Amino acid sequence: METFDLLMSGFATAATPSNLMWAFLGCALGTAIGVLPGLGPAVTVAMLLPITAQVEPTGSLIFFVGIYLGAMYGGSTTSILLNTPGETGTMVTALEGFKMAKSGRAGAALATSAIGSFVAGTIAIVLLTLFAPAVADWAVELGPPEYFTLMLLAFVTVSTVLGKSALRGLTALFLGLALGLVGMDQITGQVRYTGGVLEFMDGIEVVLVAVGLFAVAEAIYNAMYEGRSTSTMNRLTRVRMNRSEWKRSWPAWLRGAGMGFPFGTIPAGGTEIPTFLSYATERKLVAPQHRAEFGSTGAIEGVAGPEAANNAAATGTLVPLLALGIPTSVTTAVLLTALQNYGLNPGPQLFQTSEALVWALIASLYIGNVMLLLLNLPLIRLWVKLLLVPKPMLYAGIMVFATVGVYGMRQSAFDLFLMFAVGMLGVLMRRFDFPVAPVIVGLILGPLAEAQLRNALSIGEGNWSVFIERPLSLALLVIVLLVLITPRWLAWRRRA
Amino acid sequence: MTQPTESPQVPQPAHSAHSSHSVTLQVLLSLGVIGVAALLAYGATQIPSEAGYAGIGPNFLPWVVAAALLLCGGLLLRQALTGGFQDLDEASGAARADWHAWAWVSAGVLANAALIEHIGFVLSCALCFMLAVRGLRLAAGKPGGGLMGLLRDAAIGLLLAAPVYWLFAQLLAVNLPGLTDTGWI
């Protein structure tokens, strides 16, 4: 029961008053930004990264993870009441949730999504507790060739599986990789693409790109295109479920958790696929007498399943982050930056070198999940009040926080100009349906992948065959090819 | 992937006047990607290739990325010229951009970048807030009402920026520029 002892010592660290305060602040702030349109967990954590200069690592990471989990809870509220999903993961919740709210069952929809998130989140955290150390133990054996091919898989799935068009996804990925090239090369110290600009020597900050692509782009996009868009809010009813709603919800929660966690842990781009999959499953499995509710008055299974899948997948993405050092979503990419700011390198060694921190983080996930349930069920009316902030004030206010995050990182006004340029890139990408997640993942993972590639080739004395001589890296390469080729082959067969 | 039959966004008529369907804009965008690729390739020629044991040097990935972007840009250009980008989801909002509102918000962000080191975080951010909120309100068709409106927005901007400054600069020791050395403004 080594794991159990470690977890208990984690609880001891996480339950100190200051760490509990960080967890609470994170959960509350996360719920708030989840409810507010225009901000997601990734950009919020990005804007707050400068605090890593002052706050000790355990506290700030507990804070950041609290924001991540809280945003998942808060996001469903907006989906259900306003039909404006803030995050891709809650898009499916909006399908049935908004219809339920429209037919006067907003309370039941909010209850099933909060309790379902708690149930699925807890299941996922238990699985994380059991699996992450095992994955880390196994990952110690991996060499640079395996790491490189794993990262290749992350690149390919993030950019081709999620969006409508693999071409636009790959374009976004390579733009991110190009941004990651700027600055000093990690291995030889060779300066690349600085154009003589001093500010480029240290590379382009992930924070800057995340804040530019999400916060600034969102504000500018709103001014340019969304000024006349209006949304009507559904009436909030009492947040509770009756007996039949409980009975219909819990199998959906369990199935959602079962689908979400594995999808979160493999590099397959996080929460989108499992939520759609869970929706489709619930639609198929629903009892005949409730079948008509799907797509008309709103079926509770269609909220319970995807919400559970969303939360379990979000927790699952922490496994590859902590155990392998490979981020598979935008938020985990930003969390990786937070760890790097402390000089911590996520990956198998993290479980040995920073044991206390990792287990405190895992313990704080349990604590945060309980906090979120308490914050969300009785206090939901309070959070909904946030939606009364007029949109112009909200987006203009976000600019102030964007300045803190970007300027506070390096104290350079040049970065603020660059942030504007990245913001305009974000507007273009959103307008022409280019996914932005691959940019962030490419930017942060690119330099790491390059280092692994060159180390791998050093091992192979310059021979590329090193990638096919080792069984695991060969297997991963085959998977990468399958991910790239299968959809095209299927489309070609359908046409033929 | 299983797509639900209904999209959560309000469906819009196919081939509307939505600006993302413009052939000209799509061509320009594709040329932009090709331009970035060319820039990367030019830069790559300046990077030495000494490879050491690895057999590939610091100029290897730059060449790969340049080539890949060139290919992506070329394929995008072909799509743009032959019926437009494939599987394009129309982005939400109006069909055309409101450049007036864009100018106000951009002016806010750029003024902030230009002034922050001269007039300090609080004043610079309040100005940014004032300009941005004006643009966003203009976009919503509710202009901000003359001098009084402007002053009100400036006051709200100050009320927001000052506590943020105190919180981050005093409590969390984030290095933000002030007008004075007092740490309060």
Side-chain angles (χ1 to χ4, degrees):
Chain A
M1 278 323 273
E2 198 199 356
T3 305
F4 184 76
D5 293 338
L6 288 166
L7 184 64
M8 283 304 125
S9 68
F11 269 108
T13 318
T16 58
S18 76
N19 284 340
L20 278 179
M21 180 205 72
W22 283 116
F24 178 78
L25 278 179
C27 291
L29 182 64
T31 311
I33 57 133
V35 171
L36 288 173
L39 278 179
V43 70
T44 310
V45 173
M47 288 195 282
L48 292 169
L49 274 185
I51 72 164
T52 52
Q54 179 69 12
V55 182
E56 48 89 37
T58 314
S60 76
L61 286 168
I62 287 176
F63 179 53
F64 291 153
V65 169
I67 293 176
Y68 188 22
L69 294 184
M72 297 290 147
Y73 276 76
S76 51
T77 309
T78 355
S79 299
I80 289 166
L81 291 177
L82 278 173
N83 197 15
T84 49
E87 272 228 295
T88 48
T90 54
M91 229 156 77
V92 185
T93 311
L95 290 177
E96 293 302 307
F98 186 68
K99 293 204 174 73
M100 279 183 74
K102 233 177 171 170
S103 47
R105 292 192 293 144
L110 288 167
T112 196
S113 77
I115 302 170
S117 295
F118 172 76
V119 172
T122 308
I123 293 174
I125 299 165
V126 173
L127 292 175
L128 173 107
T129 312
L130 297 175
F131 281 127
V135 174
D137 279 347
W138 168 76
V140 176
E141 315 279 312
L142 300 182
E146 286 82 17
Y147 265 103
F148 176 72
T149 41
L150 259 177
M151 289 171 176
L152 210 57
L153 181 62
F155 283 146
V156 170
T157 47
V158 167
S159 39
T160 64
V161 176
L162 292 187
K164 274 266 182 96
S165 147
L167 176 59
R168 290 197 293 279
L170 286 171
T171 309
L173 172 72
F174 283 107
L175 282 176
L177 288 174
L179 290 174
L181 286 173
V182 174
M184 204 133 42
D185 165 38
Q186 283 188 338
I187 293 182
T188 58
Q190 176 65 47
V191 170
R192 298 188 291 197
Y193 295 113
T194 57
V197 180
L198 207 61
E199 279 87 350
F200 280 144
M201 284 287 276
D202 290 333
I204 297 175
E205 290 279 350
V206 177
V207 174
L208 187 158
V209 178
V211 172
L213 279 183
F214 293 97
V216 178
E218 179 80 17
I220 297 178
Y221 189 91
N222 253 274
M224 287 171 80
Y225 299 107
E226 301 262 24
R228 312 274 169 172
S229 312
T230 49
S231 46
T232 46
M233 199 166 108
N234 282 311
R235 215 172 57 83
L236 185 60
T237 53
R238 238 183 108 193
V239 184
R240 55 174 309 226
M241 286 188 286
N242 60 31
R243 189 189 272 276
S244 117
E245 282 163 341
W246 274 99
K247 231 181 102 188
R248 291 170 62 187
S249 288
W250 72 261
W253 292 336
L254 296 185
R255 279 192 291 265
M259 273 174 217
F261 186 78
F263 268 102
T265 55
I266 58 170
T271 55
E272 205 169 79
I273 299 174
T275 48
F276 273 109
L277 209 61
S278 162
Y279 180 81
T281 311
E282 296 310 326
R283 206 180 168 132
K284 207 161 268 159
L285 291 182
V286 68
Q289 70 266 34
H290 301 303
R291 186 153 291 161
E293 288 178 19
F294 263 95
S296 56
T297 55
I300 196 161
E301 292 90 347
V303 181
E307 256 315 291
N310 183 18
N311 255 55
T315 308
T317 58
L318 293 174
V319 175
L321 175 72
L322 291 175
L324 299 172
I326 297 179
T328 53
S329 68
V330 179
T331 314
T332 46
V334 178
L335 284 175
L336 178 69
T337 317
L339 286 160
Q340 287 173 339
N341 279 0
Y342 286 116
L344 300 168
N345 281 319
Q349 296 84 9
L350 193 71
F351 275 83
Q352 281 143 26
T353 54
S354 315
E355 202 178 57
L357 178 131
V358 173
W359 286 102
L361 199 64
I362 293 175
S364 75
L365 290 173
Y366 289 91
I367 298 174
N369 227 4
V370 177
M371 277 182 182
L372 280 166
L373 188 67
L374 299 176
L375 274 175
N376 274 272
L377 276 184
L379 297 178
I380 195 119
R381 273 163 211 284
L382 204 71
W383 299 115
V384 171
K385 291 235 163 44
L386 281 175
L387 293 170
L388 298 175
V389 180
K391 249 176 31 179
M393 297 272 173
L394 179 69
Y395 286 115
I398 289 174
M399 291 298 112
V400 175
F401 286 95
T403 311
V404 174
V406 171
Y407 189 91
M409 209 71 205
R410 289 207 303 205
Q411 286 78 44
S412 145
F414 174 82
D415 280 357
L416 290 176
F417 286 108
L418 201 58
M419 172 186 88
F420 175 74
V422 175
M424 284 312 296
L425 175 71
V427 171
L428 270 182
M429 292 182 72
R430 171 150 173 207
R431 195 62 182 167
F432 290 90
D433 198 21
F434 283 78
V436 287
V439 179
I440 307 277
V441 173
L443 170 63
I444 187 154
L445 217 46
L448 299 177
E450 187 187 14
Q452 298 290 4
L453 170 65
R454 282 154 75 177
N455 287 339
L457 286 174
S458 294
I459 292 174
E461 288 158 345
N463 260 329
W464 288 86
S465 57
V466 70
F467 290 107
I468 48 172
E469 277 160 8
R470 298 169 67 129
L472 183 59
S473 85
L474 176 66
L476 286 163
L477 276 178
V478 171
I479 297 173
V480 167
L481 285 179
L482 285 178
V483 170
L484 277 174
I485 294 168
T486 316
R488 237 125 276 133
W489 183 72
L490 286 177
W492 177 80
R493 257 193 42 169
R494 228 174 298 143
R495 244 176 284 150
Chain B
M1 193 169 74
T2 332
Q3 290 281 356
T5 44
E6 273 174 293
S7 136
Q9 305 290 335
V10 181
Q12 275 162 340
H15 296 291
S16 63
H18 199 271
S19 56
S20 65
H21 290 299
S22 152
V23 175
T24 323
L25 290 180
Q26 288 188 358
V27 167
L28 283 176
L29 201 66
S30 314
L31 291 176
V33 174
I34 293 172
V36 172
L39 212 64
L40 284 171
Y42 170 75
T45 61
Q46 318 281 309
I47 303 170
S49 60
E50 91 267 359
Y53 290 109
I56 58 167
N59 67 342
F60 175 77
L61 189 63
W63 278 115
V64 171
V65 176
L69 274 178
L70 185 68
L71 184 67
C72 288
L75 290 173
L76 283 171
L77 186 64
R78 199 184 69 180
Q79 286 191 359
L81 292 172
T82 54
F85 292 167
Q86 278 165 22
D87 301 316
L88 194 71
D89 265 349
E90 277 186 12
S92 60
R96 304 251 157 226
D98 181 342
W99 291 105
H100 214 126
W102 172 82
W104 279 100
V105 176
S106 303
V109 179
L110 291 172
N112 187 25
L115 294 173
I116 192 163
E117 282 173 352
H118 303 289
I119 62 171
F121 178 88
V122 177
L123 294 181
S124 178
C125 277
L127 178 70
C128 169
F129 180 90
M130 189 176 88
L131 295 170
V133 94
R134 203 168 175 77
L136 285 154
R137 226 185 261 132
L138 201 73
K142 291 177 279 198
L147 185 65
M148 274 317 285
L150 220 56
L151 285 176
R152 196 193 52 212
D153 290 341
I156 297 174
L158 278 176
L159 283 177
L160 178 72
V164 168
Y165 181 63
W166 299 331
L167 175 69
F168 281 93
Q170 303 272 6
L171 208 64
L172 295 167
V174 176
N175 215 339
L176 295 171
L179 182 62
T180 63
D181 289 332
T182 56
W184 290 103
I185 183 144

